[in-house]
Amino acid sequence: METQKVWFVTGASKGLGLVLVQKLLSNGIQVAATSRNVADLQAAAGDRTDLFLPLQVDLKSESSVQDAIEKTIGTFGKIDVVVNNAGYGLTGSVEELTDAEARENFDVNVFGTLNVIRKAMPHLRAQRSGHIFNISSIGGFTGDFPGFAIYCATKFAVNGLTESLAAEVKSFGIKVTVVEPGYFRTNFLTSGSLGIPQNEIADYKEVREMQKAHQFDINGNQPGDPGKAAEALIRISEETTPPLNLFLGQDAFDLAQAKIESISRDLDNWKSLTISTGF
């Protein structure tokens, strides 16, 4: 394992981010980790050592992100691996969710990620190396989840920006991977990480069923092991030709396969119409 790499992980006080930080530290890897509350981060990940730099960061603030990047480089000398992990889930139909609720989800899940990339890129570009992991979701590849339209939209955005980013920075020697996990047994489906609409509409029975399933049935019974997911990220960071898309979990694999097959059917069934629209 290349212990000389320096990692920068957002959303590290719980969930996959916390497990990843713990794995990195146990392997002697230097890591800067961010959270909205540095006390929560320190309590979860442990006291500061020469390997660990806990940072309180507001990802919606460019200046806050800039300060965190500068403190990381000032402490460790560089950044090699950026993991944009911070984000939260949001349930509710498109009709139910307010503009403010939808925009807040985009502000954290999309624009927070963009802020980190924007502030980290000058350093990665200057050193002509690095690896950016954007943590998306299987919901960023398939949107067949009633009640998760806005959340899926944020993750589809993460997928799209990651693909373009990979093309933009390839010539600088920077690798980019979008990670699309299925259900992993973290606290992602608890009240602190899953938003619900302020104004529910009873007519949306499928949405309510999906919402309740995530809150009470799936939560605590997710099939994915976050420790193994963290190990997968560490392994991919060591690959010379890492994947652009990294699906994690049997459920993610199956859902992705189903989406690919659905697209293939649509392409085949409507090929004549599709290609008939040229001059």
Side-chain angles (χ1 to χ4, degrees):
M1 184 173 294
E2 299 179 37
T3 56
Q4 72 271 22
K5 286 184 177 178
V6 175
W7 288 59
F8 183 92
V9 181
T10 69
S13 63
K14 57 186 176 181
L16 176 60
L18 174 59
V19 175
L20 176 59
V21 167
Q22 291 170 333
K23 290 277 186 184
L24 292 168
L25 293 175
S26 69
N27 283 290
I29 298 174
Q30 293 175 319
V31 55
T34 82
S35 174
R36 289 172 295 176
N37 188 317
V38 74
D40 291 344
L41 180 58
Q42 289 170 320
D47 294 331
R48 177 173 176 171
T49 68
D50 57 350
L51 297 176
F52 180 47
L53 178 63
L55 297 164
Q56 183 163 321
V57 178
D58 177 4
L59 293 178
K60 296 187 292 181
S61 164
E62 283 191 287
S63 61
S64 180
V65 173
Q66 179 74 50
D67 287 345
I69 296 291
E70 291 177 354
K71 286 177 182 175
T72 301
I73 293 172
T75 301
F76 297 131
K78 60 176 182 171
I79 294 176
D80 297 296
V81 183
V82 175
V83 181
N84 284 302
N85 170 71
Y88 70 97
L90 180 64
T91 66
S93 69
V94 172
E95 182 183 355
E96 289 171 324
L97 291 170
T98 65
D99 180 73
E101 288 171 317
R103 286 180 184 272
E104 179 68 13
N105 205 214
F106 270 88
D107 281 343
V108 175
N109 292 4
V110 180
F111 290 101
T113 292
L114 285 171
N115 284 340
V116 173
I117 294 170
R118 191 180 299 114
K119 297 306 180 183
M121 269 306 304
H123 304 282
L124 302 180
R125 181 164 49 84
Q127 68 193 25
R128 288 301 195 264
S129 66
H131 196 153
I132 298 172
F133 287 94
N134 291 331
I135 309 300
S136 180
S137 165
I138 186 58
F141 188 76
T142 175
D144 190 20
F145 300 96
F148 281 88
I150 297 302
Y151 174 74
C152 286
T154 69
K155 294 305 185 179
F156 266 74
V158 170
N159 280 31
L161 73 88
T162 304
E163 290 189 9
S164 290
L165 177 67
E168 292 173 1
V169 304
K170 183 178 180 180
S171 63
F172 302 133
I174 300 168
K175 303 161 187 173
V176 183
T177 298
V178 60
V179 183
E180 293 127 320
Y183 291 102
F184 279 79
R185 201 166 300 177
T186 68
N187 54 5
F188 185 74
L189 296 180
T190 61
S191 60
S193 298
L194 180 67
I196 60 175
Q198 295 178 358
N199 304 301
E200 296 182 359
I201 299 173
D203 265 358
Y204 285 100
K205 293 182 173 58
E206 294 85 359
V207 172
R208 295 286 79 75
E209 290 171 0
M210 181 69 76
Q211 179 179 320
K212 290 177 182 177
H214 281 75
Q215 288 178 295
F216 304 112
D217 300 330
I218 300 173
N219 185 32
N221 296 301
Q222 299 96 322
D225 180 345
K228 292 180 179 178
E231 290 167 358
L233 295 184
I234 295 171
R235 175 189 165 181
I236 293 300
S237 75
E238 298 165 353
E239 296 289 330
T240 55
T241 55
L244 173 58
N245 288 272
L246 177 64
F247 293 93
L248 294 178
Q250 181 69 54
D251 52 351
F253 182 91
D254 293 342
L255 288 166
Q257 197 71 58
K259 171 69 179 283
I260 292 167
E261 291 171 0
S262 174
I263 292 174
S264 294
R265 285 194 300 271
D266 286 345
L267 284 171
D268 291 340
N269 292 340
W270 297 97
K271 179 179 178 180
S272 59
L273 181 62
T274 298
I275 65 176
S276 72
T277 54
F279 286 105

